[in-house]
Amino acid sequence: MSVADHAPPFANRTDKRMWFERIPAVWWAVAAVLLLLPIVANSFWLFQVMGWTFILGMIGLSLMFLAGYGGMVSLLQMSIAGMAGYMVAILGPSGAAVSLGLPWWIVLPAAFVIAAIFATLSGALAVRTDGIYTIMITLAIAAAFFYFTRQNYSIFNGYSGFNLVLPPKLFGVNWRDPVPFYYLSLACAALCYGAVVYIARSPFGLALQGVRDNPRRMAALGFNVTAHRVAAYALASIFASTGGILLVWQNAQIAPGTIGISAAIDVLVVAVVGGLRRPLGPFIGAFIYVLLQVFSADTLGFFGFSADRFKLIIGIGFLAVVLFSPDGVLALWDRWRARTAARKAAETGGGP
Amino acid sequence: MDKFIARYPFWSLIIVLLVAVFLWLVLASWPPELVASWGRKQIFLNGLIGGITLGALYFLVAAGFTLIFGLMRVVNLAHGSLFLIGGYVGYEIAVASDSWLLAFPIVFVVVAIIGLLMQHFIFSKMEGEELRQTLVSIGLSIVFADLMLWWWGGQSYSILAPQFLQGPVQLPIVNTVNEATGAVTWLRYPAVRIWILAAAIVIGVAMWLVLNRTALGMLIRAGVDDREMLAASGVRVQLLFLIVFGFGAGLAGIAGIVGATFQSLSPGEDTRFLLSSLVVVIVGGMGSIVGAALGALIIGVAEQMGFLYAPTYSVVFTFLIMAAVLAFRPQGLLGTRR
């Protein structure tokens, strides 16, 4: 994994075209399709399929940011999203008596800040180790948080969690209606995506990638390796928190099951299946995951299996991806493009 | 030992004091004031011995985990699945053959073969790629978990201990002394748990002996320290890996029977025991058998004591212990820094 692999396709500084001319046409087409989707799609697709894709994608994006640019595979991101979601439920209004019922303009910043503090503290523990140790420690922290929320009734309302957590009715719009929620989650996902692309090219992002590739050299150059890694956890918490808050609003509830071990592993599955090298990967992975889950009943029924075997399909698919294409679906696509380009070059007789 | 006392006289004193207080708590009959503030002595003793026997179970799971990690650098996150498979298969055998003891050797062999297949067909193909091995083992654990849910369903199973192990045994520990008559009641505890503890100690000591006193153990220790050098000096490292992987998996399998006898088995126990062994080896130090024993003891006792005295925060105790160890000794209590 070198830095060059991660350079966005339109980061060429010598290119004198305007910024919007440098964005490939495919991206404009994708943007147009996403913006115009509510005209054709029904509310189930908008709310359940696409809304969930964006949410899962954002949480996966925060993992991709840490793993792809920082080299730290964290299983903590679902817990951070859950922490933000829980804070929205605890500080804001909900159906449970424990909630404080504060207004949204206090609740939302507080949720982000508390989740960021949680991420920074856990990150400070996790960055003391590297590689597989990080996976083990973040998994252990995530499990501790899950069991704690399940047993603590005074703050986290224990096993039952919170229900009736609804988004505030800003500007007279019910943000939980399918179309507004679709645009809300789309906008958040686009913002997070843009932020990751921007940060990856910023001095901080480049230093982080340097730390990933050769921490000793970066330390010798005067960079504070630990501080960069902890800062990456803090930054990634913003994307995870955005996803977590939207997740609570979409489900209108949060309970320990939302942040359980299997949910934490699902985020890893999503990010790895999509591809950990580019910010687009988690969204593609999330889309595949959501499609599989939503339509597993019909598909499995077609092959004569019970719909409960959804996890088996996910597990086998995940195994296939890690066994045959460690960099996810996006890498398969890259390989296919490289092969067709090579074939075309051979046909025209020109160089590569 | 002498060196330690000479180097840290203050800490030695504290440790001696703590051990003395602990021994007094266990052996003496509690005065009424202590009973008033801490509850009856029996609760304390039950928590303590429950913790030690739970630690024995954790040790059986974590020892294989840490051995596989130490030698092969594979964080086999499907280790919890091996535990659960062992428990379910053990249940089937115990029910079919009506013999609890027979289940142990069969399960050991069956789960060891599963482990061998995993190592031979998957992990050996991606040697050195730690992240990929971890991801693959996560994928395997998802698949195993769903296959087991398919086959054994969502209900919980527990294995009955055989007749000769049922009921309590009397331990040479004073429970209460009757003030008026001076009659002593001794602590009674489920026999099967005491026997499992003894078996875990025997297995642990045997593993230590094999590792430290035999040629095979020498090879394994050499592999832990420098895998490449061992391979270069002509040892069939792949065969060694297979032996260790099979043994570690088999150990997890028989731990599954023990788990089903102590408590019960249901979907989700695989992740629970995977996590407990993660915490145990993080605390004890990865790749160290003695570390796994120490970590299992600490975590088991902390969990049971926390469960008795502060049920809400019992999980957090385990976590705080892990965080404290990481903060002061990131390599674990008995781990070596590489």
Side-chain angles (χ1 to χ4, degrees):
Chain A
M1 289 221 263
S2 67
V3 178
D5 291 343
H6 291 262
F10 41 86
N12 190 353
R13 287 286 170 202
T14 55
D15 197 336
K16 287 281 180 267
R17 289 176 296 167
M18 293 292 284
W19 65 269
F20 53 84
E21 289 175 311
R22 277 192 251 129
I23 297 176
V26 184
W27 290 80
W28 289 111
V30 170
V33 167
L34 286 176
L35 282 174
L36 298 177
L37 194 63
I39 299 174
V40 286
N42 61 21
S43 54
F44 174 79
W45 267 86
L46 290 180
F47 189 73
Q48 288 294 343
V49 178
M50 295 313 287
W52 196 18
T53 299
F54 291 137
I55 290 167
L56 209 54
M58 274 182 271
I59 303 173
L61 182 69
S62 77
L63 169 60
M64 178 272 144
F65 179 73
L66 285 175
Y69 296 134
M72 302 172 284
V73 180
S74 156
L75 285 174
L76 203 57
Q77 301 316 108
M78 194 67 201
S79 308
I80 293 165
M83 181 60 112
Y86 258 116
M87 284 305 135
V88 167
I90 292 167
L91 301 173
S94 87
V98 191
S99 288
L100 298 175
L102 297 172
W104 66 269
W105 45 269
I106 300 180
V107 170
L108 288 188
F112 275 104
V113 169
I114 293 172
I117 293 173
F118 176 57
T120 311
L121 289 178
S122 330
L125 260 186
V127 298
R128 296 178 63 87
T129 57
D130 50 21
I132 34 188
Y133 293 83
T134 311
I135 297 184
M136 294 168 41
I137 280 152
T138 49
L139 184 60
I141 298 175
F145 183 56
F146 161 67
Y147 286 115
F148 183 67
T149 55
R150 207 174 63 171
Q151 287 183 358
N152 182 299
Y153 277 82
S154 51
I155 304 172
F156 290 97
N157 205 24
Y159 195 78
S160 44
F162 296 83
N163 54 5
L164 294 175
V165 188
L166 298 174
K169 284 206 169 44
L170 277 185
F171 316 117
V173 178
N174 179 7
W175 290 101
R176 219 173 155 255
D177 281 341
V179 175
F181 188 84
Y182 172 78
Y183 280 118
L184 179 67
S185 50
L186 173 63
C188 288
L191 273 177
C192 290
Y193 178 81
V196 169
V197 170
Y198 179 79
I199 293 170
R201 292 149 59 187
S202 71
F204 171 76
L206 293 176
L208 189 66
Q209 292 169 50
V211 166
R212 172 200 64 202
D213 293 333
N214 196 335
R216 292 180 71 178
R217 185 181 292 171
M218 292 305 277
L221 286 171
F223 287 91
N224 187 337
V225 169
T226 313
H228 272 80
R229 285 180 171 159
V230 177
Y233 269 93
L235 258 177
S237 83
I238 299 173
F239 315 129
S241 303
T242 313
I245 292 169
L246 287 171
L247 181 66
V248 179
W249 285 347
Q250 190 202 27
N251 293 335
Q253 59 103 16
I254 186 163
T258 319
I259 55 162
I261 317 294
S262 65
I265 288 184
D266 285 348
V267 173
L268 181 73
V269 170
V270 157
V272 170
V273 165
L276 279 175
R277 289 196 173 197
R278 270 184 278 164
L280 190 60
F283 289 103
I284 292 178
F287 189 58
I288 298 172
Y289 182 92
V290 172
L291 280 186
L292 268 178
Q293 179 153 42
V294 168
F295 297 105
S296 62
D298 301 338
T299 324
L300 289 172
F302 180 77
F303 289 108
F305 288 107
S306 144
D308 299 335
R309 297 282 77 76
F310 156 67
K311 278 277 171 194
L312 193 62
I313 301 290
I314 289 282
I316 291 174
F318 178 69
L319 257 184
V321 169
V322 274
L323 282 175
F324 300 115
S325 172
D327 288 326
V329 177
L330 270 180
L332 281 180
W333 163 249
D334 285 346
R335 228 180 286 164
W336 180 78
R337 261 207 338 206
R339 210 182 306 145
T340 45
R343 196 181 305 138
K344 211 177 278 172
E347 278 166 10
T348 53
Chain B
M1 189 78 182
D2 291 340
K3 241 191 233 164
F4 185 81
I5 294 173
R7 269 175 71 190
Y8 308 99
F10 176 71
W11 284 112
S12 309
L13 189 68
I14 297 235
I15 290 173
V16 169
L17 274 178
L18 282 177
V19 169
V21 168
F22 175 76
L23 283 179
W24 182 80
L25 279 174
V26 172
L27 296 176
S29 143
W30 285 18
E33 305 88 64
L34 193 62
V35 174
S37 61
W38 270 46
R40 291 190 304 136
K41 187 185 176 189
Q42 193 181 359
I43 295 177
F44 171 80
L45 284 180
N46 272 327
L48 184 68
I49 299 174
I52 294 172
T53 47
L54 184 66
L57 175 57
Y58 284 171
F59 171 74
L60 290 179
V61 191
F65 185 79
T66 199
L67 199 60
I68 290 170
F69 174 81
L71 186 63
M72 287 171 269
R73 292 283 174 283
V74 180
V75 176
N76 178 20
L77 291 182
H79 201 72
S81 313
L82 297 175
F83 167 87
L84 196 55
I85 292 174
Y88 281 140
V89 173
Y91 171 84
E92 297 291 350
I93 294 169
V95 167
S97 72
D98 205 23
S99 165
W100 184 68
L101 286 176
L102 183 67
F104 281 85
I106 298 180
V107 164
F108 185 87
V109 171
V110 168
V111 181
I113 288 173
I114 297 176
L116 290 178
L117 294 177
M118 276 162 64
Q119 159 65 13
H120 185 72
F121 286 106
I122 297 173
F123 293 124
S124 66
K125 301 275 187 289
M126 39 186 85
E127 206 171 297
E129 299 171 80
E130 302 174 343
L131 186 60
R132 246 182 108 195
Q133 292 178 331
T134 312
L135 293 176
V136 165
S137 67
I138 288 178
L140 280 175
S141 72
I142 298 174
V143 171
F144 280 144
D146 205 69
L147 287 176
M148 283 187 278
L149 184 66
W150 195 357
W151 192 253
W152 280 286
Q155 68 268 46
S156 65
Y157 293 87
S158 55
I159 305 176
L160 269 186
Q163 202 68 46
F164 64 94
L165 285 179
Q166 276 175 6
V169 284
Q170 190 167 305
L171 297 180
I173 299 174
V174 178
N175 193 9
T176 50
V177 179
N178 192 321
E179 293 292 330
T181 58
V184 175
T185 45
W186 301 94
L187 184 75
R188 292 161 75 78
Y189 205 80
V192 60
R193 285 194 158 221
I194 300 296
W195 280 107
I196 295 288
L197 173 64
I201 292 173
V202 168
I203 291 177
V205 170
M207 276 172 77
W208 189 87
L209 284 177
V210 168
L211 275 176
N212 288 286
R213 295 282 182 272
T214 65
L216 178 68
M218 196 172 72
L219 291 180
I220 293 175
R221 279 180 296 137
V224 170
D225 286 337
D226 194 333
R227 192 166 49 183
E228 285 79 19
M229 207 57 207
L230 186 69
S233 55
V235 174
R236 293 179 64 191
V237 173
Q238 283 304 336
L239 189 68
L240 193 65
F241 282 8
L242 277 177
I243 293 171
V244 171
F245 209 111
F247 179 75
L251 212 54
I254 60 173
I257 308 178
V258 175
T261 317
F262 272 24
Q263 298 155 348
S264 61
L265 291 176
S266 53
E269 289 294 290
D270 47 351
T271 37
R272 215 196 102 202
F273 274 87
L274 171 70
L275 286 163
S276 70
S277 33
L278 276 182
V279 175
V280 162
V281 298
I282 289 172
V283 168
M286 278 173 255
S288 156
I289 298 295
V290 186
L294 184 66
L297 190 66
I298 293 174
I299 297 302
V301 171
E303 206 176 298
Q304 285 290 306
M305 287 297 189
F307 188 67
L308 285 175
Y309 290 106
T312 314
Y313 301 101
S314 59
V315 198
V316 186
F317 283 149
T318 343
F319 171 66
L320 282 180
I321 292 172
M322 190 188 85
V325 168
L326 275 177
F328 295 105
R329 269 185 81 86
Q331 72 272 39
L333 290 176
L334 296 180
T336 43
R337 199 183 267 285
R338 277 177 235 288

